[in-house]
Amino acid sequence: MSATLGRALAPGADFGSGPPTGRTVCIEHTSANPTGPFHIGRVRNGIIGDTLARVLRAAGETVTTQYYVDDVGRQAAMITWIWSKPVEAWPPPIRAADPGATGPRLDGPRPDLDLGRPYPAVSAYLKEHPEAAEEVAELSRRLEAGDLPARHREFAEAILRGMLATLGRIGIRFDEFVWESSFLADGSVERVVQRLRAAPHATVLENGALAIDASGYGLPKEAPQIVVTRGDGTSLYVTRDVAYHLAKLGRFERVVDVLGQDHGLHARTLEALLTEVGAPKRPEFLIYQDITVPEGGRMSTRKGSAVYLDDLLDEAVVRARAEVAKRRSDVDLAELERIARGVANGAVRYHILRVAPEKAVAFRWEDALAFEGRSGPFVQYAHARAASILRKGERPDGPYEFRSADLSDPSSLALVRSLSLFPRTVAYAARTGHVHAVAGYAHALADEFNRFYERVPVLQEGPERESRIALVGATRTTLRRVLELLGVEPLESM
RNA sequence: GGGCGUGUAGCCUAGUCUGGAUAGGGCUCCGGGUUCCUAACCCGGCGGUCGGGGGUUCGAAUCCCCCCACGCCCGCCA
């Protein structure tokens, strides 16, 4: 007991953190194409990736997060294709999707909405209009040749800016952005192609396309070959991804990619190509399953089944505001708003994190907005209770002193036991990538504290008072730490 | 057809890597709890063929084999 409490209460120490490993690790996550706002399906990637980064940092790793921006593919080409035309010249079906558009609006509060709005219509239109599709294909070829149209990068950056603002609402930020075009510009894609040409299983197809015979890599039988350049010599996405990964593998000791299950085959293809070019090591993949709609199927912007993160967060704030207003007549509007946002964001982040990544999640509003039970607000509430006791005990930040003998009742012992589990939980999550274990631990600790709270009158005058305050101090610190790992705001009151 | 993933009470979920005793939680539902540190809480109750069948083992949700269901992927797209 003394050891656990001592570590949890040590001033300045990060209870639960491991010593620095000296190891550098790159976590690539999210990497959504800049084509429009995030829906909740896409953002599972970011929430898992961001949390993994926090957990690995706590475990002592030196973490760099990267967002890989695809600015040279067909999707990027579609955005530039449509916005390079005067709006009056847009095909009517696309025009109909964004009737208010007058031209590319880059300086609005939501450039991802402004520029991404016509995207689904463009996508649909191209399927039925080969001549337009050919224009986009031609543009795509230009992009890949390094011939970027005047405002191309501007469009991509604007949409990305809007998307990142949304992610920022739930605490997701990136250390670095890596643009796919940079690997074409610096010649590294070309070097990859050269190496693959000389690789053990290289073959040239009838039309001149370069491929790798993948039969030895255990890939599906129907995909015996990995094509790395088209007949016209241009590279494919996976080829450019090899260049990106060689750069990452050369710079970081560990490389982790957070990928949706639909990219599972891509991951194995990438591994095969990295082996072919003689890469010294390989990336680790953290694969998560989709968030589906209750009726089944993935979220789709075009089908109208997508739930946007911003809308979810807005609704969460509305509901949280009502909850806070119900019980806090003592706070002003600004404070009420601050608490509501913290609760709302905590609920949404926790809802995604509570489930193992390999489980598919059927999105339901009432689940995502739950503030009770196994939820973010449940843990936040326990933290707020602890903080409140410490304020009233006039020991918000210590110093804390305890005698083990004062904490020999079952509730205190159980709480200490729960606290002692924190370091190994962090270590486990870091080792396995099972960040949901941290969410589970957070709930278990909050649960144990709530029981303690119910049974032990901490501030009651008596010989145990100081020790009990110390135990609450240790719990508050640990709850704060675990909430930070989850990216959920540790509210001082709610 | 092949590959990958998932299947645990009405619903959601932990545990499966590393086999161990009555399979933990949450939601819903029912019944309690507030002169006392925030009731977004606590206590009790209802509810389980751990997808099915074989096998290994003293012992299987967990390991092996077969099958079933669901999801995703199997482009010179990304």
Side-chain angles (χ1 to χ4, degrees):
Chain A
M1 175 196 287
S2 298
T4 292
L5 286 181
R7 276 196 298 274
L9 291 171
D14 291 326
F15 180 51
S17 297
T21 61
R23 191 164 39 223
T24 56
V25 43
C26 176
I27 300 176
E28 180 209 335
H29 68 84
T30 307
S31 300
N33 289 326
T35 56
F38 276 107
H39 61 65
I40 189 70
R42 304 232 60 166
V43 92
R44 188 178 193 185
N45 191 313
I47 293 176
I48 291 172
D50 180 71
T51 305
L52 181 66
R54 292 164 186 259
V55 168
L56 289 185
R57 283 191 182 111
E61 309 269 46
T62 302
V63 177
T64 301
T65 55
Q66 289 191 344
Y67 187 126
Y68 184 55
V69 192
D70 177 7
D71 58 335
V72 301
R74 187 180 142 85
Q75 300 192 317
M78 281 159 61
I79 292 289
T80 294
W81 176 76
I82 194 63
W83 286 112
S84 297
K85 293 178 188 300
V87 172
E88 305 75 51
W90 284 9
I94 300 176
R95 189 83 197 267
D98 191 5
T102 54
R105 182 163 178 235
L106 306 179
D107 57 351
R110 291 298 303 276
D112 53 331
L113 282 174
D114 291 336
L115 294 182
R117 199 168 288 115
Y119 179 81
V122 170
S123 178
Y125 183 81
L126 295 180
K127 285 194 171 66
E128 282 157 26
H129 297 269
E131 69 294 340
E134 180 46 41
E135 284 181 37
V136 171
E138 173 55 28
L139 180 55
S140 190
R141 283 191 287 272
R142 275 183 61 190
L143 294 176
E144 191 179 321
D147 177 16
L148 274 54
R151 308 189 67 184
H152 176 73
R153 181 68 174 253
E154 224 180 311
F155 296 149
E157 283 181 343
I159 296 181
L160 188 59
R161 191 163 61 242
M163 295 167 76
L164 292 171
T166 299
L167 291 187
R169 292 181 69 179
I170 52 171
I172 300 177
R173 287 177 185 79
F174 297 87
D175 295 318
E176 297 176 0
F177 296 86
V178 180
W179 295 77
E180 191 171 346
S181 57
S182 69
F183 298 104
L184 292 160
D186 71 5
S188 54
V189 171
E190 183 50 35
R191 285 193 293 276
V192 165
V193 171
Q194 292 307 330
R195 286 166 75 172
L196 285 168
R197 206 177 293 286
H201 301 97
T203 60
V204 175
L205 306 181
E206 290 161 5
N207 65 351
L210 175 65
I212 298 296
D213 174 9
S215 50
Y217 289 104
L219 266 42
K221 291 185 182 117
E222 286 74 12
Q225 293 172 326
I226 306 165
V227 177
V228 294
T229 68
R230 300 187 182 88
D232 65 7
T234 57
S235 67
L236 277 79
Y237 172 72
V238 69
T239 316
R240 288 171 240 136
D241 215 14
V242 172
Y244 172 41
H245 278 81
L246 286 174
K248 282 198 284 192
L249 292 164
R251 182 176 151 202
F252 301 98
E253 288 162 83
R254 283 179 69 192
V255 169
V256 180
D257 294 353
V258 181
L259 296 174
Q261 67 155 338
D262 54 332
H263 284 63
L265 181 58
H266 173 258
R268 290 192 297 146
T269 305
L270 176 64
E271 280 190 310
L273 292 184
L274 286 169
T275 303
E276 284 288 303
V277 298
K281 51 186 186 283
R282 303 193 317 191
E284 303 158 43
F285 299 104
L286 176 49
I287 307 277
Y288 65 92
Q289 302 291 308
D290 290 308
I291 293 182
T292 60
V293 293
E295 307 78 51
R298 282 192 287 179
M299 287 191 178
S300 159
T301 303
R302 211 172 322 140
K303 290 185 202 152
S305 63
V307 174
Y308 291 96
L309 179 60
D310 267 300
D311 296 337
L312 176 61
L313 292 173
D314 290 346
E315 177 62 21
V317 170
V318 167
R319 297 201 191 187
R321 205 150 37 205
E323 291 298 317
V324 180
K326 217 157 53 184
R327 48 200 111 196
R328 296 298 299 277
S329 52
D330 59 313
V331 296
D332 61 26
L333 277 180
E335 178 65 3
L336 185 148
E337 192 61 25
R338 218 184 54 74
I339 295 172
R341 273 205 304 273
V343 168
N345 298 349
V348 169
R349 251 189 101 124
Y350 193 95
H351 176 248
I352 299 300
L353 286 172
R354 60 193 286 260
V355 185
E358 60 268 22
K359 290 252 204 188
V361 172
F363 178 83
R364 269 180 283 271
W365 283 92
E366 61 271 30
D367 293 345
L369 298 171
F371 297 157
E372 297 171 352
R374 200 167 173 339
S375 72
F378 178 95
V379 184
Q380 289 172 306
Y381 185 65
H383 176 266
R385 275 180 149 180
S388 173
I389 290 178
L390 296 174
R391 276 195 304 274
K392 293 207 164 142
E394 294 178 347
R395 218 75 97 264
D397 299 300
Y400 302 114
E401 286 175 31
F402 67 94
R403 292 179 309 225
S404 299
D406 295 338
L407 304 172
S408 55
D409 63 286
S411 305
S412 301
L413 288 175
L415 183 52
V416 172
R417 203 173 305 123
S418 189
L419 287 171
S420 74
L421 261 28
F422 183 50
R424 78 190 70 164
T425 301
V426 173
Y428 167 81
R431 179 171 60 82
T432 60
H434 288 175
V435 291
H436 65 287
V438 178
Y441 172 77
H443 177 262
L445 177 60
D447 196 37
E448 206 58 68
F449 177 70
N450 280 332
R451 253 192 295 278
F452 166 86
Y453 181 94
E454 198 74 19
R455 292 166 173 68
V456 180
V458 177
L459 296 179
Q460 192 178 77
E461 289 303 332
E464 300 97 343
R465 183 177 144 113
E466 282 306 310
S467 297
R468 287 174 173 170
I469 288 175
L471 177 54
V472 173
T475 306
R476 193 271 308 266
T477 301
T478 307
L479 283 170
R480 184 166 58 200
R481 283 286 293 153
V482 74
L483 284 168
E484 282 165 358
L485 289 184
L486 297 171
V488 174
E489 192 183 340
L491 296 165
E492 292 296 314
S493 88
M494 59 187 275

